[in-house]
Amino acid sequence: MKNKSIQTEIDACYLYRKLSENEPDKAVADVFRRMSEIEQSHAEAFARKINLPVENLIKPSWRAKTLNLIGKIISYDYVLGAMMDTEKSLSNAIIKTKEKNKQTITGAETNHVKILWSIVENDRNISGSQHARFEKKHRSVGGNAIRAAVLGGNDGLLSVFSLVMGVAGATGGNQGVLLAGIAGLLAGAMSMALGEWISVKSSQELYENQMAIEMEELETNPEGEEKELALIYMAKGIPEDQANSMAREIMKDKTHAHEVLVKEELGINAEELEGSAFEAAFYSFLMFTIGGIIPVVPFIFTTGTTAIAASVILSTVGLFLIGAAITLFTGKNFWYSGARQIVFGLIAAAITFGIGKIIGVAIT
């Protein structure tokens, strides 16, 4: 467990350094560099605690190197998103452990998540526009996009694999399996795509409606909105006189006031509305299809027991790779996560195969 803690810090140090090296904005790059130094100091402290020579610190894991490769190929915004997700998960785990052991929650448990913001906010060399850009990078799809891709592939593989095994159990793996597999693949992919499109579109329409109402309130009752804004700042701990002054200054520009009220009162970031529902639907369809085609492929070339065995082997490999890919976000052991995914996938397939076998015998 102690070595795992050191590995976590080493990985964070490595990835922050890579973010710094690939960040064109010098001020933001300096933030990443300083974060790398902080994580390095944490790793050294852990090492000294267990009498491990600092020069023998563990090298970056395959997970860290894979995330760096994703950054090189796609964008380092994805790397930052995945890292922050991981640190949030670790912070939540620490808090839950303390709650279970009835230990005091001090607030330091979320330092890894908060520290980037504290550095940026206290660094006078970073301009307002640079801070906004940094914040936008943090809010980017990042690790969420990679997670959605992995989970979309997982959904496709598991659902179509179970379907194929169920039909194979009932028919003995004849040509009907291919037809059922392709039909299930297309139906599942289109259902996923439509669900994603509706989800994104509904959220956008809801937020747009709330923003329109906020603009109407701003135009009809600007005094009331100014008081609301001042109260929001006071609730954050800002002195009353300063809060009133800030609200009064913001209300001088109606467009800016609307943006601030939408963010502070409604908790809506206007940039989040720019995502394309069609793009989300397309990628959902694509990833489900990629995962779902794996168990179907053998039945394109052969039938019977041979096709069933090949489908199980290919799907087992696919399940392991997906389980391993999930560790990019969870930080769990590569082999454990992959094996767990295989066990759950094969159990689901075995159940549907058995049910199909029973139904096939009954029909015959």
Side-chain angles (χ1 to χ4, degrees):
M1 189 66 181
K2 292 179 179 179
N3 282 341
K4 183 178 178 181
S5 298
I6 296 175
Q7 186 66 69
T8 300
E9 304 296 345
I10 288 294
D11 287 351
C13 171
Y14 169 79
L15 289 169
Y16 277 125
R17 185 171 70 250
K18 291 299 180 182
L19 284 167
S20 174
E21 292 170 356
N22 290 276
E23 172 56 53
D25 189 306
K26 292 183 178 179
V28 177
D30 185 56
V31 172
F32 291 136
R33 180 186 58 76
R34 288 155 64 181
M35 279 301 301
S36 178
E37 292 172 354
I38 290 171
E39 300 294 355
Q40 177 69 28
S41 67
H42 288 169
E44 292 175 356
F46 277 126
R48 284 192 291 269
K49 190 174 181 180
I50 61 173
N51 298 318
L52 178 70
V54 174
E55 59 271 16
N56 291 342
L57 288 177
I58 306 169
K59 295 181 179 179
S61 67
W62 76 271
R63 175 178 178 270
K65 292 178 180 178
T66 301
L67 284 171
N68 182 52
L69 181 61
I70 290 173
K72 286 182 179 180
I73 297 173
I74 305 177
S75 168
Y76 274 91
D77 289 353
Y78 288 81
V79 178
L80 181 57
M83 287 180 63
M84 295 303 288
D85 282 348
T86 299
E87 291 191 340
K88 286 179 183 177
S89 297
L90 291 173
S91 297
N92 291 335
I94 293 171
I95 291 173
K96 287 181 179 178
T97 300
K98 284 194 171 184
E99 289 176 344
K100 184 178 179 180
N101 296 327
K102 296 182 179 180
Q103 295 176 320
T104 304
I105 307 298
T106 63
E109 298 81 9
T110 57
N111 278 351
H112 280 207
V113 179
K114 294 176 181 177
I115 198 164
L116 277 173
W117 303 110
S118 65
I119 290 176
V120 174
E121 290 169 358
N122 293 320
D123 194 326
R124 298 180 182 179
N125 294 323
I126 296 181
S127 66
S129 62
Q130 289 169 329
H131 185 282
R133 176 170 169 268
F134 186 89
E135 187 174 358
K136 181 179 178 181
K137 286 168 74 71
H138 176 68
R139 289 199 309 265
S140 69
V141 290
N144 291 330
I146 304 174
R147 181 191 292 106
V150 172
L151 297 182
N154 180 62
D155 288 342
L157 174 54
L158 274 177
S159 59
V160 177
F161 182 35
S162 296
L163 172 63
V164 164
M165 288 298 105
V167 178
T171 64
N174 65 22
Q175 286 292 338
V177 179
L178 177 60
L179 178 61
I182 292 176
L185 171 61
L186 292 174
M190 286 190 287
S191 175
M192 289 284 291
L194 180 59
E196 191 69 23
W197 185 87
I198 292 174
S199 176
V200 174
K201 201 66 179 175
S202 297
S203 295
Q204 289 177 337
E205 291 171 353
L206 173 63
Y207 290 156
E208 287 167 357
N209 181 56
Q210 290 177 323
M211 290 170 67
I213 293 174
E214 191 64 38
M215 176 58 82
E216 186 177 348
E217 291 176 351
L218 183 60
E219 291 176 342
T220 57
N221 185 21
E223 295 83 6
E225 292 301 298
E226 181 178 326
K227 290 179 181 178
E228 282 187 13
L229 188 56
L231 286 173
I232 289 172
Y233 287 139
M234 289 167 62
K236 292 183 176 184
I238 297 175
E240 183 176 353
D241 291 342
Q242 185 179 351
N244 288 326
S245 176
M246 290 171 64
R248 191 163 48 249
E249 185 66 27
I250 289 171
M251 292 297 291
K252 291 180 181 179
D253 183 340
K254 186 170 69 175
T255 301
H256 179 54
H258 181 247
E259 292 176 354
V260 173
L261 283 165
V262 163
K263 182 177 180 180
E264 297 290 351
E265 188 175 341
L266 302 179
I268 298 173
N269 291 314
E271 291 171 355
E272 293 178 356
L273 303 181
E274 297 174 2
S276 169
F278 286 104
E279 183 180 351
F282 170 76
Y283 282 112
S284 181
F285 182 93
L286 178 64
M287 296 314 300
F288 187 97
T289 301
I290 291 174
I293 198 66
I294 293 173
V296 176
V297 168
F299 293 94
I300 298 175
F301 304 101
T302 185
T303 59
T305 305
T306 302
I308 295 174
S311 180
V312 170
I313 292 171
L314 286 177
S315 297
T316 299
V317 173
L319 287 166
F320 180 82
L321 292 176
I322 288 173
I326 290 173
T327 63
L328 290 173
F329 323 112
T330 64
K332 296 292 185 180
N333 180 270
F334 173 92
W335 296 104
Y336 169 78
S337 185
R340 181 179 61 181
Q341 199 74 8
I342 289 174
V343 170
F344 290 153
L346 291 182
I347 288 175
I351 291 172
T352 55
F353 184 87
I355 293 173
K357 195 75 173 176
I358 294 170
I359 293 174
V361 170
I363 292 174
T364 301

